[in-house]
Amino acid sequence: DVVETQEHYKSRWRSIWIMYLTMFLSSVGFSIVIMSVWPYLQKIDPTADASFLGWIIASYSIGQMVASPLFGLWSNHRPRREPLVISTAISVAANCLYAYVHVPHSHNKYYMLTARALVGFGAGNVAVVRSYIAGATSLTERTSAMANTSACQAVGFILGPVFQTCFTLIGEEGVTWKFLCLQLNMYTAPVLFGALLGVINIILIFAIFREHRVDDMGRQYKSINSDGEGTSDVLDQNTEGSIDHVAVVALNVLFFVILFVFAVFETIATPLTMDMYSWTRKEAVFYNGIILSVIGIESVIVFMVVKTLSKKTGERAILHAGLLTVLIGFFILLPWGKKLPNIQWEEIKNNSIPRTAPTEMLMPFWSLQEMQLLSNHTAEPVGCPVTQSWCLNTPMIYLAQYISSDVLIGLGYPVCNVMSYTLYSKVLGPKPQGVYMGWLTASGSGARILGPVFVSQIYTHLGPRWAFSLICGVVVASLLLLEIVYKRLIAFSVRYGRMQE
């Protein structure tokens, strides 16, 4: 056995902390402009409509879905510093492009679409980050490190809109630097700030990040990624044996379901509360913003708690409990009572001031953040639109049901997220994980793309009873899948008898 020196240990964890930072910046890059995309798009290209906004929002996930396996494959055969630096540089360049999309005289919306897709492409380095952390931690360190990674990602999603809010103080006009053709305003400042953070990240990767590789027992050794830094060959025999591909596929399916149901949950929040409680868009955005912020904080706390809990119960049991919690959360959302929601045409009829429905109400339902982009100060109809035929015969979902569901889903989702990543990395074992992590990231990106489509088609046309029944069915199927593969979800070293579970 090669004993790890104190210097090697410190260097290894400094590198892991750089990976935490990279994950944080990746999520900030997505969320820092989400609140301002729609008004900026309208300002630079009046021909853009809300449906094109949907493509711009989705382009990030599409770019990440394409890039993740590619960067993962790259990281399997070359030092990980290379894909990390290149991917971050792509994100920096894409953010700069976003700041200049106002310059061309036509087709500005397509430049914005390209910029957001490239930011998502750069965010494909999430696969490299997670594969590095999986390879640089022992089995006993793995769950804690994966939980910290997910927590950094969650904090990035929470703080992104906060940064955006701070930059609104600059105003729409801001400052113009003609010699650079640059307008520094509330729309461009956030992406330039993101670009600056990306440059800092690249500097830290060069200055601090080092390739480290340990086996499941924490013994150091050299891998294909090493670039001459001091590690030792000790464990060729520990990589012998095949990966359990049944377990790998099962965990990919479970991860897809976990992210899909959460994407549905986020997307459905605004239209559901507007239909059930007669909230205006402004009220729905405000109240759901508070709820999702609380859930974000709850998630970070859960990430920290599961690190300790998993040592006592194991990851599989916690994943099972997390899926059950999510199932109960969606089951509670099923309409049970007799009271019907207020119908929108009744609200219009009873109002002495005529209201005109904005054209955005005719568009597909987007997530909370995107609905906020569509909000304006004109009068609007409230209640469940009569054009949704289910409004006339489907009982309303009471606010207590909705809040209870939010709490349970906010508890179950982060548990499932961390445990699926942790189990996945342990099943893969000491073999290079870049491509496999790339596919897992791609499946999550695909889930985030399909979530809003599910809401716009199933919820809008069939109502909450069908939507939440189908989600419950999907989660039950996932629980059955987990039961079938339960005994196969063990660490690579445990499977081949090199360690005891």
Side-chain angles (χ1 to χ4, degrees), residues 182-228:
L182 176 64
Q183 293 179 0
L184 186 66
N185 53 36
M186 60 183 284
Y187 304 125
T188 60
V191 292
L192 293 174
F193 178 67
L196 175 62
L197 292 178
V199 171
I200 294 172
N201 193 22
I202 290 173
I203 293 171
L204 290 174
I205 289 172
F206 276 115
I208 299 175
F209 178 79
R210 297 292 182 269
E211 286 288 348
H212 290 289
R213 190 101 172 115
V214 299
D215 74 333
D216 286 349
M217 289 165 277
R219 297 177 299 182
Q220 66 184 73
Y221 68 103
K222 182 178 288 186
S223 71
I224 190 70
N225 307 97
S226 297
D227 47 10

mmCIF file of all heavy atoms in Angstrom, residues 182-228:
data_model
loop_
_atom_site.group_PDB
_atom_site.id
_atom_site.type_symbol
_atom_site.label_atom_id
_atom_site.label_comp_id
_atom_site.label_asym_id
_atom_site.label_seq_id
_atom_site.Cartn_x
_atom_site.Cartn_y
_atom_site.Cartn_z
ATOM 1 N N LEU A 182 -19.750 48.536 -26.666
ATOM 2 C CA LEU A 182 -20.308 47.793 -25.538
ATOM 3 C C LEU A 182 -21.274 48.662 -24.741
ATOM 4 O O LEU A 182 -20.944 49.800 -24.383
ATOM 5 C CB LEU A 182 -19.187 47.304 -24.619
ATOM 6 C CG LEU A 182 -19.619 46.578 -23.335
ATOM 7 C CD1 LEU A 182 -20.342 45.282 -23.675
ATOM 8 C CD2 LEU A 182 -18.415 46.311 -22.442
ATOM 9 N N GLN A 183 -22.454 48.129 -24.499
ATOM 10 C CA GLN A 183 -23.407 48.756 -23.591
ATOM 11 C C GLN A 183 -23.379 48.009 -22.265
ATOM 12 O O GLN A 183 -23.720 46.827 -22.212
ATOM 13 C CB GLN A 183 -24.824 48.720 -24.176
ATOM 14 C CG GLN A 183 -25.016 49.567 -25.417
ATOM 15 C CD GLN A 183 -26.432 49.461 -25.952
ATOM 16 O OE1 GLN A 183 -27.270 48.764 -25.397
ATOM 17 N NE2 GLN A 183 -26.706 50.169 -27.039
ATOM 18 N N LEU A 184 -22.953 48.677 -21.207
ATOM 19 C CA LEU A 184 -22.925 48.072 -19.882
ATOM 20 C C LEU A 184 -24.212 48.446 -19.166
ATOM 21 O O LEU A 184 -24.359 49.576 -18.689
ATOM 22 C CB LEU A 184 -21.700 48.546 -19.095
ATOM 23 C CG LEU A 184 -21.482 47.874 -17.738
ATOM 24 C CD1 LEU A 184 -21.156 46.395 -17.916
ATOM 25 C CD2 LEU A 184 -20.365 48.566 -16.962
ATOM 26 N N ASN A 185 -25.177 47.543 -19.138
ATOM 27 C CA ASN A 185 -26.455 47.821 -18.512
ATOM 28 C C ASN A 185 -26.920 46.606 -17.704
ATOM 29 O O ASN A 185 -26.166 45.650 -17.503
ATOM 30 C CB ASN A 185 -27.504 48.199 -19.568
ATOM 31 C CG ASN A 185 -27.605 47.159 -20.676
ATOM 32 O OD1 ASN A 185 -27.469 45.962 -20.434
ATOM 33 N ND2 ASN A 185 -27.831 47.633 -21.907
ATOM 34 N N MET A 186 -28.162 46.632 -17.263
ATOM 35 C CA MET A 186 -28.677 45.574 -16.398
ATOM 36 C C MET A 186 -28.765 44.221 -17.109
ATOM 37 O O MET A 186 -28.875 43.186 -16.458
ATOM 38 C CB MET A 186 -30.064 45.953 -15.863
ATOM 39 C CG MET A 186 -31.106 46.172 -16.933
ATOM 40 S SD MET A 186 -32.699 46.707 -16.264
ATOM 41 C CE MET A 186 -33.330 45.166 -15.607
ATOM 42 N N TYR A 187 -28.709 44.225 -18.445
ATOM 43 C CA TYR A 187 -28.789 42.986 -19.202
ATOM 44 C C TYR A 187 -27.406 42.399 -19.494
ATOM 45 O O TYR A 187 -27.230 41.178 -19.516
ATOM 46 C CB TYR A 187 -29.525 43.220 -20.526
ATOM 47 C CG TYR A 187 -30.905 43.800 -20.357
ATOM 48 C CD1 TYR A 187 -31.274 44.981 -20.994
ATOM 49 C CD2 TYR A 187 -31.854 43.172 -19.558
ATOM 50 C CE1 TYR A 187 -32.531 45.520 -20.838
ATOM 51 C CE2 TYR A 187 -33.118 43.704 -19.389
ATOM 52 C CZ TYR A 187 -33.451 44.885 -20.038
ATOM 53 O OH TYR A 187 -34.706 45.405 -19.875
ATOM 54 N N THR A 188 -26.423 43.258 -19.747
ATOM 55 C CA THR A 188 -25.091 42.783 -20.122
ATOM 56 C C THR A 188 -24.148 42.639 -18.929
ATOM 57 O O THR A 188 -23.227 41.814 -18.963
ATOM 58 C CB THR A 188 -24.451 43.735 -21.148
ATOM 59 O OG1 THR A 188 -24.336 45.041 -20.571
ATOM 60 C CG2 THR A 188 -25.302 43.821 -22.407
ATOM 61 N N ALA A 189 -24.366 43.436 -17.874
ATOM 62 C CA ALA A 189 -23.470 43.371 -16.717
ATOM 63 C C ALA A 189 -23.432 41.973 -16.080
ATOM 64 O O ALA A 189 -22.341 41.494 -15.726
ATOM 65 C CB ALA A 189 -23.863 44.431 -15.682
ATOM 66 N N PRO A 190 -24.571 41.281 -15.929
ATOM 67 C CA PRO A 190 -24.507 39.955 -15.309
ATOM 68 C C PRO A 190 -23.650 38.961 -16.100
ATOM 69 O O PRO A 190 -22.888 38.193 -15.508
ATOM 70 C CB PRO A 190 -25.981 39.505 -15.293
ATOM 71 C CG PRO A 190 -26.772 40.764 -15.306
ATOM 72 C CD PRO A 190 -25.970 41.710 -16.145
ATOM 73 N N VAL A 191 -23.753 38.969 -17.437
ATOM 74 C CA VAL A 191 -22.969 37.999 -18.216
ATOM 75 C C VAL A 191 -21.488 38.367 -18.214
ATOM 76 O O VAL A 191 -20.620 37.484 -18.230
ATOM 77 C CB VAL A 191 -23.486 37.885 -19.669
ATOM 78 C CG1 VAL A 191 -24.859 37.244 -19.696
ATOM 79 C CG2 VAL A 191 -23.513 39.224 -20.378
ATOM 80 N N LEU A 192 -21.183 39.665 -18.194
ATOM 81 C CA LEU A 192 -19.784 40.075 -18.111
ATOM 82 C C LEU A 192 -19.201 39.709 -16.754
ATOM 83 O O LEU A 192 -18.029 39.330 -16.642
ATOM 84 C CB LEU A 192 -19.663 41.575 -18.376
ATOM 85 C CG LEU A 192 -20.005 42.005 -19.807
ATOM 86 C CD1 LEU A 192 -19.999 43.529 -19.917
ATOM 87 C CD2 LEU A 192 -19.017 41.403 -20.807
ATOM 88 N N PHE A 193 -20.027 39.802 -15.718
ATOM 89 C CA PHE A 193 -19.611 39.356 -14.392
ATOM 90 C C PHE A 193 -19.359 37.841 -14.407
ATOM 91 O O PHE A 193 -18.364 37.358 -13.845
ATOM 92 C CB PHE A 193 -20.695 39.697 -13.363
ATOM 93 C CG PHE A 193 -20.390 39.230 -11.964
ATOM 94 C CD1 PHE A 193 -19.343 39.774 -11.241
ATOM 95 C CD2 PHE A 193 -21.155 38.235 -11.372
ATOM 96 C CE1 PHE A 193 -19.057 39.350 -9.948
ATOM 97 C CE2 PHE A 193 -20.882 37.791 -10.085
ATOM 98 C CZ PHE A 193 -19.838 38.350 -9.374
ATOM 99 N N GLY A 194 -20.253 37.105 -15.087
ATOM 100 C CA GLY A 194 -20.056 35.667 -15.233
ATOM 101 C C GLY A 194 -18.780 35.344 -15.989
ATOM 102 O O GLY A 194 -18.066 34.393 -15.655
ATOM 103 N N ALA A 195 -18.481 36.149 -17.026
ATOM 104 C CA ALA A 195 -17.238 35.952 -17.785
ATOM 105 C C ALA A 195 -16.013 36.194 -16.906
ATOM 106 O O ALA A 195 -15.022 35.462 -16.977
ATOM 107 C CB ALA A 195 -17.213 36.882 -18.993
ATOM 108 N N LEU A 196 -16.088 37.228 -16.057
ATOM 109 C CA LEU A 196 -14.996 37.518 -15.131
ATOM 110 C C LEU A 196 -14.766 36.356 -14.162
ATOM 111 O O LEU A 196 -13.621 35.943 -13.916
ATOM 112 C CB LEU A 196 -15.290 38.800 -14.354
ATOM 113 C CG LEU A 196 -14.283 39.180 -13.255
ATOM 114 C CD1 LEU A 196 -12.901 39.441 -13.856
ATOM 115 C CD2 LEU A 196 -14.774 40.399 -12.477
ATOM 116 N N LEU A 197 -15.859 35.803 -13.637
ATOM 117 C CA LEU A 197 -15.741 34.650 -12.739
ATOM 118 C C LEU A 197 -15.119 33.459 -13.469
ATOM 119 O O LEU A 197 -14.332 32.705 -12.890
ATOM 120 C CB LEU A 197 -17.122 34.269 -12.194
ATOM 121 C CG LEU A 197 -17.794 35.262 -11.241
ATOM 122 C CD1 LEU A 197 -19.176 34.757 -10.830
ATOM 123 C CD2 LEU A 197 -16.935 35.492 -10.005
ATOM 124 N N GLY A 198 -15.478 33.304 -14.752
ATOM 125 C CA GLY A 198 -14.899 32.226 -15.549
ATOM 126 C C GLY A 198 -13.396 32.383 -15.725
ATOM 127 O O GLY A 198 -12.646 31.403 -15.641
ATOM 128 N N VAL A 199 -12.943 33.617 -15.959
ATOM 129 C CA VAL A 199 -11.502 33.878 -16.107
ATOM 130 C C VAL A 199 -10.777 33.552 -14.796
ATOM 131 O O VAL A 199 -9.707 32.921 -14.802
ATOM 132 C CB VAL A 199 -11.260 35.348 -16.504
ATOM 133 C CG1 VAL A 199 -9.775 35.688 -16.435
ATOM 134 C CG2 VAL A 199 -11.796 35.614 -17.916
ATOM 135 N N ILE A 200 -11.382 33.961 -13.673
ATOM 136 C CA ILE A 200 -10.791 33.652 -12.364
ATOM 137 C C ILE A 200 -10.711 32.134 -12.170
ATOM 138 O O ILE A 200 -9.710 31.601 -11.669
ATOM 139 C CB ILE A 200 -11.610 34.308 -11.234
ATOM 140 C CG1 ILE A 200 -11.501 35.828 -11.330
ATOM 141 C CG2 ILE A 200 -11.149 33.810 -9.866
ATOM 142 C CD1 ILE A 200 -12.428 36.576 -10.381
ATOM 143 N N ASN A 201 -11.770 31.436 -12.605
ATOM 144 C CA ASN A 201 -11.794 29.981 -12.482
ATOM 145 C C ASN A 201 -10.661 29.336 -13.281
ATOM 146 O O ASN A 201 -9.984 28.419 -12.806
ATOM 147 C CB ASN A 201 -13.148 29.464 -12.974
ATOM 148 C CG ASN A 201 -13.383 28.002 -12.605
ATOM 149 O OD1 ASN A 201 -12.772 27.482 -11.673
ATOM 150 N ND2 ASN A 201 -14.259 27.341 -13.326
ATOM 151 N N ILE A 202 -10.423 29.839 -14.501
ATOM 152 C CA ILE A 202 -9.342 29.303 -15.337
ATOM 153 C C ILE A 202 -7.989 29.519 -14.659
ATOM 154 O O ILE A 202 -7.131 28.626 -14.638
ATOM 155 C CB ILE A 202 -9.367 29.972 -16.726
ATOM 156 C CG1 ILE A 202 -10.599 29.503 -17.513
ATOM 157 C CG2 ILE A 202 -8.096 29.645 -17.510
ATOM 158 C CD1 ILE A 202 -10.798 30.227 -18.829
ATOM 159 N N ILE A 203 -7.785 30.706 -14.092
ATOM 160 C CA ILE A 203 -6.525 31.007 -13.401
ATOM 161 C C ILE A 203 -6.321 30.041 -12.230
ATOM 162 O O ILE A 203 -5.222 29.511 -12.018
ATOM 163 C CB ILE A 203 -6.517 32.466 -12.910
ATOM 164 C CG1 ILE A 203 -6.499 33.426 -14.109
ATOM 165 C CG2 ILE A 203 -5.323 32.730 -11.998
ATOM 166 C CD1 ILE A 203 -6.702 34.881 -13.740
ATOM 167 N N LEU A 204 -7.394 29.805 -11.466
ATOM 168 C CA LEU A 204 -7.284 28.901 -10.313
ATOM 169 C C LEU A 204 -7.020 27.463 -10.759
ATOM 170 O O LEU A 204 -6.301 26.719 -10.076
ATOM 171 C CB LEU A 204 -8.569 28.974 -9.479
ATOM 172 C CG LEU A 204 -8.797 30.287 -8.719
ATOM 173 C CD1 LEU A 204 -10.165 30.286 -8.050
ATOM 174 C CD2 LEU A 204 -7.706 30.497 -7.673
ATOM 175 N N ILE A 205 -7.593 27.048 -11.895
ATOM 176 C CA ILE A 205 -7.340 25.702 -12.410
ATOM 177 C C ILE A 205 -5.862 25.538 -12.749
ATOM 178 O O ILE A 205 -5.236 24.521 -12.426
ATOM 179 C CB ILE A 205 -8.231 25.413 -13.644
ATOM 180 C CG1 ILE A 205 -9.691 25.256 -13.209
ATOM 181 C CG2 ILE A 205 -7.758 24.148 -14.363
ATOM 182 C CD1 ILE A 205 -10.667 25.166 -14.363
ATOM 183 N N PHE A 206 -5.272 26.554 -13.372
ATOM 184 C CA PHE A 206 -3.838 26.493 -13.695
ATOM 185 C C PHE A 206 -2.976 26.560 -12.437
ATOM 186 O O PHE A 206 -1.965 25.870 -12.326
ATOM 187 C CB PHE A 206 -3.464 27.640 -14.641
ATOM 188 C CG PHE A 206 -3.721 27.341 -16.094
ATOM 189 C CD1 PHE A 206 -4.662 28.059 -16.811
ATOM 190 C CD2 PHE A 206 -3.022 26.333 -16.751
ATOM 191 C CE1 PHE A 206 -4.907 27.789 -18.152
ATOM 192 C CE2 PHE A 206 -3.259 26.050 -18.087
ATOM 193 C CZ PHE A 206 -4.199 26.775 -18.791
ATOM 194 N N ALA A 207 -3.391 27.409 -11.482
ATOM 195 C CA ALA A 207 -2.538 27.664 -10.323
ATOM 196 C C ALA A 207 -2.634 26.591 -9.242
ATOM 197 O O ALA A 207 -1.626 26.247 -8.605
ATOM 198 C CB ALA A 207 -2.898 29.025 -9.718
ATOM 199 N N ILE A 208 -3.817 26.030 -9.024
ATOM 200 C CA ILE A 208 -4.038 25.172 -7.861
ATOM 201 C C ILE A 208 -4.392 23.742 -8.234
ATOM 202 O O ILE A 208 -3.949 22.793 -7.578
ATOM 203 C CB ILE A 208 -5.157 25.772 -6.963
ATOM 204 C CG1 ILE A 208 -4.743 27.154 -6.454
ATOM 205 C CG2 ILE A 208 -5.475 24.843 -5.797
ATOM 206 C CD1 ILE A 208 -5.821 27.868 -5.670
ATOM 207 N N PHE A 209 -5.169 23.567 -9.297
ATOM 208 C CA PHE A 209 -5.688 22.237 -9.628
ATOM 209 C C PHE A 209 -4.566 21.275 -10.013
ATOM 210 O O PHE A 209 -3.680 21.612 -10.800
ATOM 211 C CB PHE A 209 -6.695 22.342 -10.775
ATOM 212 C CG PHE A 209 -7.250 21.014 -11.220
ATOM 213 C CD1 PHE A 209 -8.254 20.395 -10.504
ATOM 214 C CD2 PHE A 209 -6.736 20.377 -12.341
ATOM 215 C CE1 PHE A 209 -8.762 19.165 -10.900
ATOM 216 C CE2 PHE A 209 -7.234 19.146 -12.753
ATOM 217 C CZ PHE A 209 -8.250 18.548 -12.032
ATOM 218 N N ARG A 210 -4.595 20.077 -9.457
ATOM 219 C CA ARG A 210 -3.642 19.023 -9.789
ATOM 220 C C ARG A 210 -4.404 17.710 -9.997
ATOM 221 O O ARG A 210 -5.437 17.478 -9.383
ATOM 222 C CB ARG A 210 -2.609 18.828 -8.664
ATOM 223 C CG ARG A 210 -1.731 20.056 -8.414
ATOM 224 C CD ARG A 210 -0.784 20.325 -9.572
ATOM 225 N NE ARG A 210 0.078 21.465 -9.309
ATOM 226 C CZ ARG A 210 -0.206 22.726 -9.637
ATOM 227 N NH1 ARG A 210 -1.366 23.005 -10.224
ATOM 228 N NH2 ARG A 210 0.642 23.700 -9.389
ATOM 229 N N GLU A 211 -3.852 16.854 -10.863
ATOM 230 C CA GLU A 211 -4.460 15.547 -11.079
ATOM 231 C C GLU A 211 -4.163 14.634 -9.894
ATOM 232 O O GLU A 211 -3.005 14.466 -9.509
ATOM 233 C CB GLU A 211 -3.906 14.912 -12.362
ATOM 234 C CG GLU A 211 -4.440 15.517 -13.639
ATOM 235 C CD GLU A 211 -5.889 15.164 -13.909
ATOM 236 O OE1 GLU A 211 -6.426 14.264 -13.225
ATOM 237 O OE2 GLU A 211 -6.485 15.795 -14.794
ATOM 238 N N HIS A 212 -5.224 14.099 -9.309
ATOM 239 C CA HIS A 212 -5.059 13.139 -8.218
ATOM 240 C C HIS A 212 -5.991 11.971 -8.456
ATOM 241 O O HIS A 212 -7.102 12.144 -8.975
ATOM 242 C CB HIS A 212 -5.368 13.784 -6.862
ATOM 243 C CG HIS A 212 -4.346 14.781 -6.434
ATOM 244 N ND1 HIS A 212 -3.075 14.429 -6.038
ATOM 245 C CD2 HIS A 212 -4.398 16.138 -6.358
ATOM 246 C CE1 HIS A 212 -2.389 15.525 -5.724
ATOM 247 N NE2 HIS A 212 -3.170 16.573 -5.930
ATOM 248 N N ARG A 213 -5.540 10.817 -8.074
ATOM 249 C CA ARG A 213 -6.340 9.609 -8.277
ATOM 250 C C ARG A 213 -6.111 8.683 -7.104
ATOM 251 O O ARG A 213 -4.960 8.379 -6.755
ATOM 252 C CB ARG A 213 -5.900 8.927 -9.572
ATOM 253 C CG ARG A 213 -6.823 7.805 -10.008
ATOM 254 C CD ARG A 213 -7.746 8.284 -11.098
ATOM 255 N NE ARG A 213 -8.504 7.176 -11.639
ATOM 256 C CZ ARG A 213 -9.822 7.061 -11.527
ATOM 257 N NH1 ARG A 213 -10.504 7.972 -10.882
ATOM 258 N NH2 ARG A 213 -10.458 6.045 -12.071
ATOM 259 N N VAL A 214 -7.177 8.252 -6.459
ATOM 260 C CA VAL A 214 -7.067 7.272 -5.384
ATOM 261 C C VAL A 214 -8.053 6.142 -5.659
ATOM 262 O O VAL A 214 -9.044 6.323 -6.370
ATOM 263 C CB VAL A 214 -7.351 7.883 -3.992
ATOM 264 C CG1 VAL A 214 -6.345 8.979 -3.665
ATOM 265 C CG2 VAL A 214 -8.776 8.432 -3.906
ATOM 266 N N ASP A 215 -7.784 4.976 -5.089
ATOM 267 C CA ASP A 215 -8.709 3.859 -5.278
ATOM 268 C C ASP A 215 -9.792 3.932 -4.204
ATOM 269 O O ASP A 215 -9.853 4.873 -3.414
ATOM 270 C CB ASP A 215 -7.951 2.530 -5.234
ATOM 271 C CG ASP A 215 -7.527 2.150 -3.834
ATOM 272 O OD1 ASP A 215 -7.333 3.063 -3.001
ATOM 273 O OD2 ASP A 215 -7.390 0.943 -3.558
ATOM 274 N N ASP A 216 -10.675 2.937 -4.175
ATOM 275 C CA ASP A 216 -11.806 2.966 -3.241
ATOM 276 C C ASP A 216 -11.366 2.968 -1.786
ATOM 277 O O ASP A 216 -12.109 3.376 -0.899
ATOM 278 C CB ASP A 216 -12.725 1.764 -3.501
ATOM 279 C CG ASP A 216 -13.547 1.938 -4.775
ATOM 280 O OD1 ASP A 216 -13.552 3.067 -5.307
ATOM 281 O OD2 ASP A 216 -14.182 0.962 -5.231
ATOM 282 N N MET A 217 -10.126 2.494 -1.522
ATOM 283 C CA MET A 217 -9.616 2.479 -0.148
ATOM 284 C C MET A 217 -8.758 3.697 0.169
ATOM 285 O O MET A 217 -8.217 3.806 1.262
ATOM 286 C CB MET A 217 -8.828 1.191 0.086
ATOM 287 C CG MET A 217 -9.724 -0.033 0.151
ATOM 288 S SD MET A 217 -8.834 -1.597 0.002
ATOM 289 C CE MET A 217 -8.686 -1.732 -1.782
ATOM 290 N N GLY A 218 -8.606 4.607 -0.801
ATOM 291 C CA GLY A 218 -7.885 5.842 -0.560
ATOM 292 C C GLY A 218 -6.415 5.797 -0.897
ATOM 293 O O GLY A 218 -5.675 6.737 -0.588
ATOM 294 N N ARG A 219 -5.953 4.709 -1.549
ATOM 295 C CA ARG A 219 -4.544 4.598 -1.917
ATOM 296 C C ARG A 219 -4.307 5.311 -3.245
ATOM 297 O O ARG A 219 -5.069 5.162 -4.185
ATOM 298 C CB ARG A 219 -4.144 3.126 -2.029
ATOM 299 C CG ARG A 219 -4.262 2.375 -0.716
ATOM 300 C CD ARG A 219 -3.932 0.902 -0.885
ATOM 301 N NE ARG A 219 -4.843 0.240 -1.816
ATOM 302 C CZ ARG A 219 -4.773 -1.064 -2.105
ATOM 303 N NH1 ARG A 219 -3.829 -1.812 -1.555
ATOM 304 N NH2 ARG A 219 -5.629 -1.597 -2.955
ATOM 305 N N GLN A 220 -3.237 6.078 -3.317
ATOM 306 C CA GLN A 220 -2.971 6.880 -4.503
ATOM 307 C C GLN A 220 -2.298 6.055 -5.597
ATOM 308 O O GLN A 220 -1.583 5.101 -5.329
ATOM 309 C CB GLN A 220 -2.090 8.070 -4.133
ATOM 310 C CG GLN A 220 -0.686 7.675 -3.682
ATOM 311 C CD GLN A 220 0.132 8.863 -3.226
ATOM 312 O OE1 GLN A 220 -0.104 9.405 -2.171
ATOM 313 N NE2 GLN A 220 1.094 9.256 -4.034
ATOM 314 N N TYR A 221 -2.601 6.443 -6.842
ATOM 315 C CA TYR A 221 -1.933 5.807 -7.973
ATOM 316 C C TYR A 221 -2.052 6.698 -9.197
ATOM 317 O O TYR A 221 -2.832 7.649 -9.236
ATOM 318 C CB TYR A 221 -2.490 4.414 -8.248
ATOM 319 C CG TYR A 221 -3.906 4.361 -8.763
ATOM 320 C CD1 TYR A 221 -4.185 4.120 -10.096
ATOM 321 C CD2 TYR A 221 -4.992 4.538 -7.890
ATOM 322 C CE1 TYR A 221 -5.480 4.061 -10.568
ATOM 323 C CE2 TYR A 221 -6.288 4.487 -8.354
ATOM 324 C CZ TYR A 221 -6.542 4.240 -9.687
ATOM 325 O OH TYR A 221 -7.832 4.188 -10.132
ATOM 326 N N LYS A 222 -1.269 6.369 -10.214
ATOM 327 C CA LYS A 222 -1.235 7.177 -11.436
ATOM 328 C C LYS A 222 -2.258 6.640 -12.426
ATOM 329 O O LYS A 222 -2.386 5.445 -12.614
ATOM 330 C CB LYS A 222 0.158 7.142 -12.058
ATOM 331 C CG LYS A 222 0.278 8.005 -13.309
ATOM 332 C CD LYS A 222 1.697 7.986 -13.880
ATOM 333 C CE LYS A 222 2.628 8.768 -12.985
ATOM 334 N NZ LYS A 222 3.982 8.888 -13.601
ATOM 335 N N SER A 223 -2.971 7.553 -13.092
ATOM 336 C CA SER A 223 -3.932 7.155 -14.112
ATOM 337 C C SER A 223 -3.538 7.779 -15.435
ATOM 338 O O SER A 223 -2.565 8.525 -15.532
ATOM 339 C CB SER A 223 -5.349 7.604 -13.720
ATOM 340 O OG SER A 223 -5.456 9.005 -13.827
ATOM 341 N N ILE A 224 -4.309 7.512 -16.465
ATOM 342 C CA ILE A 224 -4.032 8.051 -17.797
ATOM 343 C C ILE A 224 -4.081 9.571 -17.811
ATOM 344 O O ILE A 224 -3.489 10.236 -18.654
ATOM 345 C CB ILE A 224 -5.044 7.468 -18.821
ATOM 346 C CG1 ILE A 224 -4.627 7.819 -20.263
ATOM 347 C CG2 ILE A 224 -6.444 8.017 -18.561
ATOM 348 C CD1 ILE A 224 -3.411 7.092 -20.716
ATOM 349 N N ASN A 225 -4.805 10.155 -16.805
ATOM 350 C CA ASN A 225 -4.962 11.608 -16.769
ATOM 351 C C ASN A 225 -3.741 12.315 -16.226
ATOM 352 O O ASN A 225 -3.610 13.525 -16.371
ATOM 353 C CB ASN A 225 -6.160 11.990 -15.891
ATOM 354 C CG ASN A 225 -7.424 11.271 -16.291
ATOM 355 O OD1 ASN A 225 -7.755 10.262 -15.688
ATOM 356 N ND2 ASN A 225 -8.116 11.760 -17.299
ATOM 357 N N SER A 226 -2.863 11.583 -15.551
ATOM 358 C CA SER A 226 -1.755 12.238 -14.861
ATOM 359 C C SER A 226 -0.836 12.948 -15.836
ATOM 360 O O SER A 226 -0.581 12.476 -16.935
ATOM 361 C CB SER A 226 -0.962 11.206 -14.050
ATOM 362 O OG SER A 226 -1.788 10.642 -13.058
ATOM 363 N N ASP A 227 -0.339 14.093 -15.406
ATOM 364 C CA ASP A 227 0.525 14.894 -16.267
ATOM 365 C C ASP A 227 1.902 15.055 -15.638
ATOM 366 O O ASP A 227 2.488 16.121 -15.633
ATOM 367 C CB ASP A 227 -0.094 16.257 -16.549
ATOM 368 C CG ASP A 227 -0.612 16.933 -15.285
ATOM 369 O OD1 ASP A 227 -0.311 16.422 -14.179
ATOM 370 O OD2 ASP A 227 -1.301 17.961 -15.405
ATOM 371 N N GLY A 228 2.383 13.967 -15.036
ATOM 372 C CA GLY A 228 3.730 14.005 -14.479
ATOM 373 C C GLY A 228 3.785 14.348 -13.019
ATOM 374 O O GLY A 228 4.843 14.396 -12.435
#
